[in-house]
């Protein structure tokens, strides 16, 4: 095969890979028990797209070994597409009963893609540093996922068995099944019934024993759903907005650090706005507020002409007004963006984001504060996150974090957290030297500022490169101070960050030098379930590399606390406690042999 044919083969392969990731990114959301596995695989596959796009744009030929690796990757992505399509439809009850087999399939596809990524030599490719960092991040995610199969929901197994066995199951059981299986309203019930019908047809009238079990379960869930959620039939366009009586609190309203329901949202200035939106969309009553910006019922526009005109006036003041006009306009946009989701869309569509980014450098502290908080509120909208980053906001937000008023610094930290939800932004934010400034806020901020800083640091540190940055910036010392200050209200955050840093070699070393064992053992003995789990995770990381830490743990009475944790802790805590107990047991065996 000549050079021309080689080039054409490589170009065709990159086009196919690009089309595969595009097809995966355009898949509809999954609403069944596979939602988490499905979402994780879609998110990781989508992040590979810049690799193929950049190589196509460079128009350079690919080496034979690179072509082979990409061919393996194409097969892996094809397998992923088939699997994703297979679980995003059909009977939700059938998927629930088969989810152990499905989890195994997701694991095999993950292994297939990770093996292909392992064969790619990035030094042979003409990649920008940013794309290389992103692909290495995605590869690391596939490696982590390859090392574990998603744990199954034991409560769901119990509820399925209970509902099948009992003639009239407890309503609480049926409610949980309705929520977890995403059979929440009359339209879900109709779709499930149709899926049953199709199963019978495709099995030539003999769907087997499984169908009888499913049919019995479905009848009980159906009766409960129709009793609890009596609704008239809705049009196709309204199905996505159907409200039900007892919605499950979404993951977004759980603290990303403790995973408990948030009593007080971490991003304080916008948390109640977020929760109000959720309540509104789920039919939960809240005091009604007049909104300046309402969606049109028809025509596709985001706002009425009058509302858009008002926003355009504000933008004109941002762009060309004097300092007082800019301050007032930024403050008004801050409030509008806080108020509701429609406002966030129409303010961004009007072109406000680049103007607000410019005002981050305003010499007027109050204007700067309004600008960063308006961007924070706008960033709640997923597509606005990309617009904010593309407007070059990250370095300016970091500058506000370093030099702004305390309120501006707090909201800058919260904005970085909000933007860091997207994985590629974790890399860019870390590269902009945000982490040292966040550590400073963690040390000297108000209670709210410390929480915003901690949450941002935690989220950024999911990316391995940022763990090293945080350690080098000296984060371990303030974390240990916060951990030892039980009345300071930051123990949860400090432990969660330590647990994530302990998975990095430099993190282990730095934590080990901070004399952590006494306080870790004390938390394992007396802490909350989540804190005991994180303490055990840190202790396990330290004890596997440092025999002296293990001996000290034993001397401080860790064994008794770990035995209790191995019996009564969370699943992860039980595993970590068991692992450490095995190490402690080896000390005893060694001592006996020496004697």
């Amino acid at each position: 095969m000549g050079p021309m044919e080689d080039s054409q083969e490589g170009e065709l392969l990159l086009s196919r890979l690009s089309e595969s990731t595009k097809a995966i990114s355009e898949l509809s959301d999954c609403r069944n028990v596979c939602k988490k596995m499905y979402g994780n695989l879609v998110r990781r596959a989508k992040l590979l797209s810049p690799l193929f796009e950049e190589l196509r744009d460079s128009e350079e030929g690919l080496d034979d070994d690179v072509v082979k690796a990409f061919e393996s990757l194409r097969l892996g992505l094809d397998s992923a597409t088939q699997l994703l399509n297979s679980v995003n439809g059909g009977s939700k009850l059938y998927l629930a009963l088969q989810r152990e087999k499905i989890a195994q399939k997701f694991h095999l596809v993950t292994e297939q893609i990770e093996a292909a990524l392992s064969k790619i030599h990035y030094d042979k490719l003409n990649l920008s540093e940013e794309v290389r960092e992103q692909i290495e991040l995605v590869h690391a995610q596939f490696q982590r996922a390859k090392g574990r199969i998603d744990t199954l929901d034991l409560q769901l197994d119990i509820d399925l068995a209970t509902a099948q066995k009992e003639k009239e199951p407890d309503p609480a059981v049926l409610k949980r099944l309705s929520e977890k299986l995403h059979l929440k309203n009359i339209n879900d019930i109709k779709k499930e019934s149709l899926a049953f019908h199709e199963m019978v047809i495709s099995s030539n009238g003999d769907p087997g024993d499984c169908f009888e079990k499913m049919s019995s379960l479905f009848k009980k869930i159906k009766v409960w759903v129709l009793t609890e959620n009596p609704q008239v039939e809705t049009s196709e366009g309204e199905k996505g907005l159907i409200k039900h009586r007892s919605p499950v609190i979404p993951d977004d309203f759980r603290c990303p650090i403790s995973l408990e329901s948030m009593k007080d949202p971490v991003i304080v200035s916008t948390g109640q706005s977020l929760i109000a939106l959720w309540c509104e969309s789920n039919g939960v009553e809240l005091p009604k507020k007049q909104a300046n910006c309402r969606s049109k019922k028809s025509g596709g526009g985001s706002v009425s002409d009058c509302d858009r005109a008002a926003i355009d006036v504000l933008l004109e003041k941002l762009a060309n007004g004097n300092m007082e006009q800019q301050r007032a306009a930024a403050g008004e946009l801050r409030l509008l963006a806080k108020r509701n989701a429609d406002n966030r869309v129409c303010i961004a569509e009007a072109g406000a984001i680049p103007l607000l980014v410019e005002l981050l450098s305003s010499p007027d502290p109050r204007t700067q504060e309004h600008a960063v908080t308006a961007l924070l509120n706008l960033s709640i909208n997923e597509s606005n996150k990309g617009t904010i980053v593309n407007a070059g906001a990250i370095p300016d937000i970091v500058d506000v974090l370093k030099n702004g008023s305390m309120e501006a610094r707090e909201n800058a930290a919260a904005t970085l957290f909000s933007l860091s939800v997207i994985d590629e932004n974790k890399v860019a934010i870390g590269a902009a030297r945000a982490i040292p400034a966040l550590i400073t806020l963690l040390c000297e901020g108000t209670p709210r500022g410390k929480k915003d800083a901690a949450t941002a640091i935690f989220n950024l540190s999911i990316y391995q490169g940022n763990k090293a940055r945080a350690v080098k910036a000296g984060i371990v010392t303030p974390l240990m101070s916060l951990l030892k200050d039980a009345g300071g209200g930051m123990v949860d955050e400090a432990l969660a960050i330590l647990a994530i840093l302990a998975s990095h070699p430099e993190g282990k070393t730095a934590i080990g030098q901070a004399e952590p064992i006494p306080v870790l053992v004390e938390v394992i003995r007396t802490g909350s379930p989540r804190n005991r789990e994180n303490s055990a995770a840190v202790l396990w990381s330290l004890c596997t590399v440092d025999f002296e830490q293990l001996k000290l743990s034993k001397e401080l009475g860790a064994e008794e606390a770990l035995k209790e944790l191995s019996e009564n802790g969370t699943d992860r805590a039980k595993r970590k406690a068991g692992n450490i107990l095995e190490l402690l047991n080896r000390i005893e065996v060694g001592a006996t042999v020496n004697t």
Side-chain angles (χ1 to χ4, degrees):
M1 192 180 287
M4 178 77 72
E5 290 169 299
D6 278 342
S7 173
Q8 287 175 339
E9 183 190 5
E11 192 174 332
L12 181 61
L13 181 55
L14 287 171
S15 293
R16 285 178 177 169
L17 286 163
S18 190
E19 286 164 10
S20 290
T21 51
K22 185 172 185 290
I24 288 173
S25 69
E26 289 174 351
L27 290 172
S28 59
D29 289 342
C30 183
R31 291 181 68 249
N32 56 46
V33 291
C34 300
K35 180 178 180 179
K36 183 181 175 185
M37 295 183 287
Y38 179 103
N40 284 340
L41 184 54
V42 167
R43 176 174 50 79
R44 291 173 191 136
K46 279 165 62 176
L47 289 171
L48 292 169
S49 180
L51 171 64
F52 314 131
E53 296 298 331
E54 187 159 290
L55 289 173
R56 284 174 72 187
D57 291 343
S58 72
E59 297 182 352
E60 285 194 10
L62 302 177
D63 291 347
D64 284 350
D65 56 346
V66 173
V67 169
K68 285 178 184 174
F70 275 2
E71 188 60 39
S72 297
L73 185 55
R74 185 184 69 80
L75 293 172
L77 289 173
D78 286 350
S79 298
T81 305
Q82 290 171 13
L83 177 59
L84 291 166
N85 281 317
S86 74
V87 301
N88 195 14
S91 164
K92 294 176 178 180
L93 257 174
Y94 180 78
L95 290 170
L97 294 168
Q98 298 292 316
R99 68 194 195 288
E100 191 169 352
K101 291 179 183 175
I102 293 167
Q104 189 62 42
K105 288 180 182 178
F106 272 93
H107 192 249
L108 290 172
V109 166
T110 298
E111 285 185 327
Q112 190 178 358
I113 294 174
E114 194 280 327
L117 289 172
S118 296
K119 295 175 186 173
I120 299 171
H121 299 291
Y122 301 112
D123 53 339
K124 293 186 178 180
L125 301 174
N126 183 24
L127 296 176
S128 66
E129 185 178 349
E130 187 177 358
V131 168
R132 180 176 296 196
E133 279 199 325
Q134 179 172 329
I135 299 308
E136 286 173 350
L137 170 66
V138 180
H139 189 186
Q141 291 177 347
F142 273 104
Q143 279 180 317
R144 283 200 303 272
K146 183 188 76 168
R148 62 175 187 265
I149 296 179
D150 284 341
T151 53
L152 297 181
D153 185 339
L154 181 60
Q155 183 65 57
L156 178 54
D157 279 334
I158 294 168
D159 288 344
L160 286 167
T162 304
Q164 184 190 345
K165 183 175 64 176
E166 295 180 4
K167 191 172 181 180
E168 293 184 6
D170 187 327
V173 170
L174 295 172
K175 179 181 178 182
R176 283 197 298 269
L177 287 173
S178 166
E179 296 292 351
K180 287 184 179 179
L181 301 182
H182 294 263
L183 295 170
K184 301 178 183 179
N185 54 58
I186 193 169
N187 293 289
D188 294 335
I189 294 296
K190 285 182 177 179
K191 286 178 185 176
E192 184 70 5
S193 184
L194 183 62
F196 271 21
H197 184 63
E198 288 173 352
M199 276 184 72
V200 174
I201 293 170
S202 63
S203 64
N204 296 317
D206 182 24
D209 294 338
C210 184
F211 183 79
E212 190 172 326
K213 186 190 294 186
M214 288 165 58
S215 182
S216 170
L217 282 167
F218 179 55
K219 285 175 187 173
K220 293 168 186 175
I221 295 169
K222 177 181 176 180
V223 169
W224 186 86
V225 169
L226 297 182
T227 303
E228 288 297 307
N229 303 281
Q231 290 174 354
V232 294
E233 190 166 322
T234 54
S235 69
E236 196 66 30
E238 293 169 324
K239 282 182 182 177
L241 300 174
I242 291 168
K243 297 174 176 61
H244 50 89
R245 284 188 182 170
S246 303
V248 170
I249 297 171
D251 289 342
D252 301 296
F253 302 153
R254 300 186 188 279
C255 173
I257 288 177
S258 69
L259 302 183
E260 304 296 332
S261 298
M262 286 190 286
K263 297 181 181 69
D264 188 27
V266 170
I267 304 180
V268 177
S269 62
T270 59
Q272 290 99 352
S273 174
L274 266 172
I275 291 167
L277 280 170
W278 177 78
C279 291
E280 185 180 328
S281 64
N282 283 277
V284 177
E285 287 297 322
L286 271 181
K288 293 201 166 29
K289 295 182 180 179
Q290 186 176 358
N292 287 2
C293 196
R294 293 185 177 87
S295 294
K296 282 186 177 180
K297 298 295 180 191
S298 60
S302 293
V303 289
S304 69
D305 293 338
C306 177
D307 292 326
R308 180 57 182 265
I311 288 170
D312 286 341
V313 169
L314 292 174
L315 299 198
E316 174 62 26
K317 288 179 181 176
L318 281 192
N320 301 312
N322 60 33
M323 188 175 288
E324 286 186 9
Q325 289 173 323
Q326 286 182 326
R327 184 193 305 137
E332 183 65 23
L333 287 169
R334 167 184 179 171
L335 293 173
L336 285 173
K338 179 179 179 178
R339 196 163 292 156
N340 62 46
D342 288 339
N343 287 7
R344 287 187 273 282
V345 172
C346 69
I347 290 169
E349 285 180 352
I353 286 172
L355 297 173
L356 289 166
V357 170
E358 281 185 34
L359 287 183
L360 292 173
S361 306
S362 169
D364 177 55
R366 192 68 177 153
T367 302
Q368 187 183 63
E369 184 186 300
H370 287 328
V372 77
T373 311
L375 288 169
L376 167 60
N377 295 337
L378 288 169
S379 75
I380 295 166
N381 177 289
E382 202 66 22
S383 63
N384 285 352
K385 294 183 201 294
T387 310
I388 291 167
V389 172
N390 292 337
I394 288 174
D396 291 325
I397 295 169
V398 173
D399 193 55
V400 174
L401 178 64
K402 291 176 181 175
N403 304 310
S405 68
M406 184 53 76
E407 185 172 348
R409 290 170 67 194
E410 291 166 357
N411 288 338
T415 308
L416 292 176
F417 163 67
S418 178
L419 296 176
S420 72
V421 168
I422 297 172
D423 276 343
E424 54 263 44
N425 292 346
K426 292 178 173 68
V427 179
I429 292 167
R433 291 200 51 78
I435 290 173
L438 288 167
I439 293 171
T440 301
L441 183 62
L442 183 68
C443 294
E444 62 185 38
T446 64
R448 189 189 101 176
K450 287 181 177 181
K451 285 192 181 291
D452 284 341
T455 313
I457 292 166
F458 174 85
N459 218 39
L460 289 170
S461 296
I462 291 168
Y463 169 54
Q464 192 79 343
N466 285 338
K467 292 175 187 171
R469 287 183 173 122
V471 173
K472 285 172 185 169
I475 192 171
V476 170
T477 300
L479 288 179
M480 290 305 300
S481 298
L482 293 171
L483 179 54
K484 291 172 183 176
D485 179 15
M490 291 290 293
V491 172
D492 295 8
E493 290 80 1
L495 264 173
I497 298 170
L498 285 169
I500 208 168
L501 294 178
S503 66
H504 190 281
E506 291 176 31
K508 278 182 197 162
T509 303
I511 296 167
Q513 291 168 350
E515 301 182 353
I517 303 300
V519 68
L520 291 175
V521 172
E522 182 58 27
V523 173
I524 290 171
R525 189 178 289 119
T526 62
S528 69
R530 186 67 57 185
N531 286 347
R532 297 177 79 198
E533 176 186 312
N534 281 329
S535 290
V538 177
L539 187 61
W540 163 246
S541 293
L542 297 175
C543 289
T544 52
V545 295
D546 190 338
F547 184 69
E548 291 303 316
Q549 305 280 20
L550 185 63
K551 277 189 2 186
L552 180 57
S553 301
K554 183 171 177 59
E555 289 166 12
L556 291 171
E559 199 163 4
E560 185 181 343
L562 287 164
K563 281 179 181 172
E564 197 277 328
L565 185 61
S566 70
E567 294 169 2
N568 300 311
T570 63
D571 288 345
R572 179 169 171 249
K574 287 177 180 177
R575 287 197 305 274
K576 297 297 182 187
N579 292 338
I580 303 168
L581 285 168
E582 283 182 25
L583 293 177
L584 290 170
N585 189 45
R586 286 180 203 167
I587 292 181
E588 290 179 9
V589 171
T592 304
V593 170
N594 290 335
T595 302

